[in-house]
Amino acid sequence: MNSLKPSDAFAWLRQAEFMIFRICVWAVVIASFAAIGTKAIWGKPSSVPLHYFLVLILVGILLSTFAPTLGEYAASRLHKVKFGGFEFELSEAVGEASLHLKVEDVRGWETDLVDKMGDNSYSNPFPSIKLSARGKYEYERLSLRLYLLFEKVKDPNELDAESRENFRKLILIVGKAAHAMENYTKALEVLLWLKRFTDRERNHEESRMLGTAYLWAADEQADRSYEYQNEAIPYLRFSTGKHPYQTVVFYNLGWALLSLDKYYYGIQRMRKCIRLEPRCAPWANWNIACGQKKLGNASGALATLQQIPPGPMWKDIAEDDWFKDPDPTFTADFQALIRSKLEE
């Protein structure tokens, strides 16, 4: 036997209220026409202000009846209405918005958006799975839904508990999809909404995505890169504290620290990555060597680079600005290492 869920009951109640509202609307429309007719034929009602008031009601009701979108917009802006000595209080737009936050909207394809280890890309040790055709459709559909909610829900803390969690999940899914599509600034724009929720502490996944979004958006917005890299660090640190075995978080934290000239701490995080997942050693060692070079340990940087196996990534290492040095000795040794790795 199927029982009626609270969310279903709420939706049914809202539909019933809307039906009653429409009935009342048509009643007022008919009464307005009748008033205008009696005024034209018999001169009643004699009150001119009431006549104009009924005409105004007629125009407003016709607009709200035959232009539902305009009616919803007007209703969402109204809070209290006085009529004939009675005062009516209308529901907030937040209540309406919660109807659009169903769990079904964010299920079924989020497994396509999980960051995973892969060796199909030499430029990134943690490539995101590319979205399928269905995934791209869902990404666009849910992005539109989310932006409409952003316009309607000014304070997500006013939603009920279930809707808040669904809202969070929708934000995370669209943020992950934007990251997978390499829309890094959009990913940050979406995920920043997580900071508006104050009902509980952000969890590991929310902090991880916020820190990652800041870090990748820093590459797209060079004028704000320093600011975004600084913003990323506390979120990534929090995430490592909550989940100390996720390699990608340590890698991103190490990258952020190295970018902010905190070379010693960045090297520590990169070494932690190698202990957690040896397959990321080539990329982590590349970053460790960068930090060592900046700390003045040129011989240590060359020794660390020596541990990286031959492969296409050496073409990028050869162009890395971090290894450009006026010291002819280091430059000669570095170029010799590059040639030997590319020949292998």
Side-chain angles (χ1 to χ4, degrees), residues 100-108 110 162 165-166 169:
H100 300 287
L101 293 170
K102 303 300 182 185
V103 178
E104 290 75 10
D105 284 333
V106 290
R107 280 183 180 167
E110 65 266 29
E162 181 182 1
E165 290 306 309
N166 288 336
K169 189 173 183 182

Side-chain angles (χ1 to χ4, degrees), residues 201-302:
E201 184 183 60
R202 279 183 291 275
N203 60 29
H204 148 70
E205 184 69 4
E206 293 162 355
S207 296
R208 180 181 83 88
M209 288 306 303
L210 263 171
T212 301
Y214 270 119
L215 195 57
W216 285 83
D219 274 358
E220 283 192 342
Q221 302 187 46
D223 58 325
R224 305 190 69 179
S225 61
Y226 184 82
E227 173 194 348
Y228 283 174
Q229 288 160 354
N230 266 304
E231 290 283 355
I233 286 177
Y235 294 107
L236 295 172
R237 277 183 174 154
F238 178 85
S239 185
T240 58
K242 292 291 185 179
H243 198 308
Y245 302 105
Q246 193 165 30
T247 314
V248 66
V249 185
F250 281 98
Y251 187 90
N252 286 338
L253 178 57
W255 177 19
L257 291 167
L258 288 168
S259 299
L260 293 169
D261 302 337
K262 300 177 181 180
Y263 307 121
Y264 176 77
Y265 299 105
I267 289 170
Q268 284 185 322
R269 270 49 175 205
M270 289 298 171
R271 285 176 173 159
K272 174 77 169 179
C273 292
I274 297 174
R275 292 195 297 271
L276 289 173
E277 180 49 73
R279 286 186 294 172
C280 76
W283 297 273
N285 279 327
W286 182 355
N287 288 306
I288 290 171
C290 288
Q292 290 173 323
K293 182 65 179 64
K294 290 295 186 179
L295 288 171
N297 185 5
S299 60
L302 290 171

Side-chain angles (χ1 to χ4, degrees), residues 106-341:
V106 290
R107 280 183 180 167
W109 63 287
E110 65 266 29
T111 53
D112 294 337
L113 303 172
V114 179
D115 290 336
K116 73 171 186 177
M117 181 70 70
D119 51 12
N120 60 335
S121 172
Y122 70 88
S123 61
N124 184 0
F126 309 101
S128 297
I129 300 175
K130 297 303 180 183
L131 297 185
S132 62
R134 176 173 178 253
K136 291 177 182 178
Y137 165 75
E138 293 291 345
Y139 168 51
E140 296 296 338
R141 184 179 70 85
L142 292 182
S143 292
L144 177 60
R145 170 69 60 83
L146 192 60
Y147 279 111
L148 290 174
L149 287 170
F150 285 166
E151 288 294 322
K152 202 166 190 181
V153 183
K154 300 305 180 183
D155 183 3
N157 298 290
E158 295 182 5
L159 297 169
D160 60 82
E162 181 182 1
S163 293
R164 281 197 304 272
E165 290 306 309
N166 288 336
F167 202 176
R168 280 188 173 100
K169 189 173 183 182
L170 184 58
I171 290 169
L172 274 175
I173 293 300
V174 174
K176 286 182 179 181
H179 184 83
M181 296 293 291
E182 300 181 356
N183 300 328
Y184 302 125
T185 300
K186 175 181 176 178
L188 177 61
E189 179 187 68
V190 168
L191 291 163
L192 281 176
W193 263 74
L194 293 173
K195 297 171 71 172
R196 301 195 183 196
F197 292 85
T198 59
D199 57 315
R200 65 164 173 79
E201 184 183 60
R202 279 183 291 275
N203 60 29
H204 148 70
E205 184 69 4
E206 293 162 355
S207 296
R208 180 181 83 88
M209 288 306 303
L210 263 171
T212 301
Y214 270 119
L215 195 57
W216 285 83
D219 274 358
E220 283 192 342
Q221 302 187 46
D223 58 325
R224 305 190 69 179
S225 61
Y226 184 82
E227 173 194 348
Y228 283 174
Q229 288 160 354
N230 266 304
E231 290 283 355
I233 286 177
Y235 294 107
L236 295 172
R237 277 183 174 154
F238 178 85
S239 185
T240 58
K242 292 291 185 179
H243 198 308
Y245 302 105
Q246 193 165 30
T247 314
V248 66
V249 185
F250 281 98
Y251 187 90
N252 286 338
L253 178 57
W255 177 19
L257 291 167
L258 288 168
S259 299
L260 293 169
D261 302 337
K262 300 177 181 180
Y263 307 121
Y264 176 77
Y265 299 105
I267 289 170
Q268 284 185 322
R269 270 49 175 205
M270 289 298 171
R271 285 176 173 159
K272 174 77 169 179
C273 292
I274 297 174
R275 292 195 297 271
L276 289 173
E277 180 49 73
R279 286 186 294 172
C280 76
W283 297 273
N285 279 327
W286 182 355
N287 288 306
I288 290 171
C290 288
Q292 290 173 323
K293 182 65 179 64
K294 290 295 186 179
L295 288 171
N297 185 5
S299 60
L302 290 171
T304 301
L305 289 172
Q306 183 67 52
Q307 300 177 44
I308 301 175
M313 71 187 324
W314 275 98
K315 294 179 181 180
D316 288 340
I317 295 174
E319 301 297 326
D320 195 337
D321 290 338
W322 287 52
F323 298 121
K324 292 182 178 179
D325 196 308
D327 181 2
T329 302
F330 173 81
T331 301
D333 292 340
F334 178 68
Q335 292 297 332
L337 178 60
I338 294 292
R339 286 192 298 271
S340 66
K341 291 293 184 177

Side-chain angles (χ1 to χ4, degrees), residues 4-76:
L4 187 64
K5 296 180 181 179
S7 59
D8 294 335
F10 180 74
W12 178 87
L13 179 60
R14 299 298 299 176
Q15 291 175 356
E17 290 177 349
F18 182 69
M19 183 60 68
I20 294 172
F21 173 75
R22 289 184 71 89
I23 293 173
C24 293
V25 163
W26 279 108
V28 174
V29 169
I30 294 170
S32 299
F33 273 117
I36 293 174
T38 56
K39 176 70 176 180
I41 298 173
W42 296 292
K44 295 181 180 181
S46 58
S47 173
V48 174
L50 179 61
H51 166 67
Y52 282 112
F53 179 65
L54 291 175
V55 172
L56 289 175
I57 289 179
L58 172 61
V59 173
I61 294 303
L62 287 174
L63 286 174
S64 64
T65 302
F66 297 106
T69 303
L70 182 60
E72 289 178 8
Y73 175 82
S76 68

